[in-house]
Amino acid sequence: ADGSDSRPLVIRPYRGLLYFQTEHQRLYFGRQDAVSEVLHDLEALPALGKPRFVLVAGASGTGKSSMVLAGVVPRLLAQKPKAQVARIRPGSAPETPLSTALVDLVSAAGQGSADQPILLVVDQLEEIFINVADPKRREAFVRKLWSLAGDPASKLCIIVTLRVDFVGRCGEICIDDNGRRL
């Protein structure tokens, strides 16, 4: 499979421009402090009466998706093996992948124990600014995420990745009726 390459390694741990996913966790290392911080925040937010919503922002290509998918998710699953996890990308119709993921998560959670966490990873949130022309649809999508994360009856935790050059655009979005901005 390696062709004429005679190096002794069969597995090449560097994925180039591809991000690490959950199945690559054994090859992913170096961001343990950041992974621990995200997991700590997810655990601490409900106790503080805050929505279970964590935003991971960074420059393009710095490993936000890799850190969440190959770092946070596997550690969460190691700590809580019955946790349910889904990942979506907003695309041009963010309501569709969100609805599908929620149905899948609720269905899977209904088959498990009552105290298992449910995690939704919204990867590349900047797509709502790039692919969704209607500001009302963008706001409705983010409001839905915020509402789900803040529902005390829900076990849903949400981690969002966002390119840092879109952080300023988040000010365009009200996440609640009090005028709070993302």
Side-chain angles (χ1 to χ4, degrees), residues 50-107:
K50 297 184 178 187
R52 297 164 308 280
F53 189 101
V54 175
L55 180 95
V56 176
S60 180
T62 57
K64 300 171 298 295
S65 299
S66 294
M67 193 264 297
V68 171
L69 297 172
V72 173
V73 169
R75 283 236 337 244
L76 175 71
L77 291 172
Q79 294 170 0
K80 301 175 189 249
K82 296 193 184 271
Q84 299 299 316
V85 179
R87 174 192 168 261
I88 66 168
R89 284 184 58 181
S92 60
E95 313 83 11
T96 303
L98 177 59
S99 296
T100 302
L102 292 174
V103 167
D104 292 346
L105 286 169
V106 168
S107 172

Side-chain angles (χ1 to χ4, degrees), residues 6 12 17 22 28 32 37 70 80 88 95 105 119 138 143 169-170:
S6 61
R12 295 194 175 96
L17 295 177
T22 306
Y28 182 79
Q32 297 314 316
E37 184 178 348
K80 301 175 189 249
I88 66 168
E95 313 83 11
L105 286 169
L119 176 64
R138 286 184 215 139
R143 275 184 174 237
R169 300 278 314 265
C170 290

Side-chain angles (χ1 to χ4, degrees), residues 29-42:
F29 59 92
R31 296 258 174 110
Q32 297 314 316
D33 289 345
V35 169
S36 295
E37 184 178 348
V38 170
L39 288 168
H40 174 268
D41 289 350
L42 283 176

Side-chain angles (χ1 to χ4, degrees), residues 7-166:
R7 291 180 284 185
L9 295 176
V10 175
I11 297 173
R12 295 194 175 96
Y14 180 64
R15 295 190 39 83
L17 295 177
L18 301 174
Y19 55 85
F20 288 87
Q21 298 190 43
T22 306
E23 61 267 20
H24 304 117
Q25 66 179 324
R26 66 190 179 96
L27 304 173
Y28 182 79
F29 59 92
R31 296 258 174 110
Q32 297 314 316
D33 289 345
V35 169
S36 295
E37 184 178 348
V38 170
L39 288 168
H40 174 268
D41 289 350
L42 283 176
E43 190 79 26
L45 287 169
L48 298 171
K50 297 184 178 187
R52 297 164 308 280
F53 189 101
V54 175
L55 180 95
V56 176
S60 180
T62 57
K64 300 171 298 295
S65 299
S66 294
M67 193 264 297
V68 171
L69 297 172
V72 173
V73 169
R75 283 236 337 244
L76 175 71
L77 291 172
Q79 294 170 0
K80 301 175 189 249
K82 296 193 184 271
Q84 299 299 316
V85 179
R87 174 192 168 261
I88 66 168
R89 284 184 58 181
S92 60
E95 313 83 11
T96 303
L98 177 59
S99 296
T100 302
L102 292 174
V103 167
D104 292 346
L105 286 169
V106 168
S107 172
Q111 299 170 8
S113 68
D115 63 341
Q116 70 184 8
I118 303 169
L119 176 64
L120 175 65
V121 176
V122 181
D123 195 20
Q124 300 184 26
L125 183 67
E126 64 271 7
E127 288 184 357
I128 66 168
F129 299 108
I130 298 167
N131 298 325
V132 180
D134 183 2
K136 292 184 191 297
R137 280 183 64 208
R138 286 184 215 139
E139 187 165 298
F141 176 71
V142 176
R143 275 184 174 237
K144 177 74 172 176
L145 293 175
W146 187 255
S147 172
L148 289 166
D151 182 358
S154 168
K155 296 176 290 292
L156 183 66
C157 299
I158 298 176
I159 299 175
V160 174
T161 65
L162 177 73
R163 277 188 9 218
V164 75
D165 46 321
F166 284 89

